[in-house]
Amino acid sequence: MISITSSQLDAWFALFIWPFLRILGLMLSEPLLGHRALPRRIKMGLAMLLTITIAPLLEVPPSVSFTSAQGIVIAIQQLFIGFALGFSIRLVLSSIEMSGHVTGLTMGLGFAVFFDPQNSAQSPVLAQFIGVFAMLVFLAMNGHLMVISALVQSFQIVPISTDPLHLSGFKAFAEAGGQIFLVGLMLSLPMLAALLIANIAMGILSRAAPQLNLFAVGFPLTLGAGFVVLLMALPYLLPPITRLLEEGVMHGLKLIGLFRAAG
């Protein structure tokens, strides 16, 4: 008669549950795999499929009972590590959307907003356009495969163990949000410079001809100039957006590596 002990059950269960929780944490924050348009059943099925594929390639995790205090700590750690990896990708896409938000405000399109189902909030139309453009670039460069590859590497950088996560990783995780405004401003600088020239020209024109209705002429002129500049700038935005997305994946791995730094 075959007898199975509780320690063996814990060991078999750990082979699946710990990688599954890290993958689930990734899908909670990654903008493509965790998109709200995907049904939950598909997300869970994809997470289980990735777990079955990745689990045999990993080191044997500690056979800790999932219901114990130590098991709960490991579960929270795996969820947070996966969340941190997906957050780095979302951070890049949010910074690209920020560039569209700043450009739209300068063009006078700040009032044109739509409901963003991904963030469950109102978002400027130009920011959504730039965000969709960045998402298409992400798919064209096989970014989803890069994220899965980075997920596999994360198990080598920070293996599943009972060791606590280092505080330097949490600090870097909190400071990473500030990059949204910096990167967004840098991407929108060419369009902002062109719109600034258009506004200066309108100021000179209104000074030379005070009888000119600036509100009737300035708004469509600024709006038209903004669309022309955006049309000319889109091909030049492709290389920096591609580089930012690639660096976002690498930054996620570096961020995860800080959790394993020796304290």
Side-chain angles (χ1 to χ4, degrees), residues 147-169:
V147 172
I148 295 175
S149 176
L151 176 65
V152 177
Q153 296 180 42
S154 70
F155 288 99
Q156 301 174 357
I157 298 174
V158 185
I160 301 172
S161 66
T162 57
D163 298 333
L165 301 179
H166 195 260
L167 293 178
S168 59

Side-chain angles (χ1 to χ4, degrees), residues 22 62 64 70 73-74 77-78 81 158-166 170 259-261:
R22 185 177 296 195
V64 179
Q70 197 173 27
V73 171
I74 296 177
Q77 289 180 356
Q78 300 311 307
I81 291 173
V158 185
I160 301 172
S161 66
T162 57
D163 298 333
L165 301 179
H166 195 260
F170 293 96
F259 288 118
R260 199 187 176 187

Side-chain angles (χ1 to χ4, degrees), residues 130-220:
I130 298 295
V132 172
F133 177 75
M135 187 70 73
L136 293 176
V137 173
F138 187 66
L139 287 173
M141 58 182 286
N142 292 325
H144 54 293
L145 300 180
M146 295 172 58
V147 172
I148 295 175
S149 176
L151 176 65
V152 177
Q153 296 180 42
S154 70
F155 288 99
Q156 301 174 357
I157 298 174
V158 185
I160 301 172
S161 66
T162 57
D163 298 333
L165 301 179
H166 195 260
L167 293 178
S168 59
F170 293 96
K171 180 181 178 182
F173 182 79
E175 293 176 349
Q179 297 298 316
I180 294 178
F181 305 98
L182 176 62
V183 176
L185 183 61
M186 293 296 290
L187 280 178
S188 60
L189 275 179
M191 292 173 283
L192 291 181
L195 291 173
L196 179 62
I197 295 174
N199 288 328
I200 292 176
M202 287 301 304
I204 296 174
L205 184 62
S206 64
R207 187 71 174 178
Q211 69 275 11
L212 183 66
N213 190 346
L214 185 61
F215 293 98
V217 179
F219 178 73

Side-chain angles (χ1 to χ4, degrees), residues 9-10 17 42 44 50-51 58-59 70 88 104 113 119 150 178 187 206 213 229-230 232-233 238 244 262:
L9 287 175
D10 291 337
I17 189 61
I42 295 180
M44 294 296 294
L50 288 175
T51 303
L58 307 178
E59 300 178 359
Q70 197 173 27
S88 62
V113 295
N119 299 316
L187 280 178
S206 64
N213 190 346
V229 172
L230 180 62
M232 296 175 61
L238 185 60
L244 284 172

Side-chain angles (χ1 to χ4, degrees), residues 23 27 33 38 41-51 148:
I23 295 172
M27 291 190 171
L33 299 176
L38 291 176
R41 293 182 180 179
I42 295 180
K43 294 179 183 178
M44 294 296 294
L46 181 59
M48 294 178 66
L49 180 61
L50 288 175
T51 303
I148 295 175

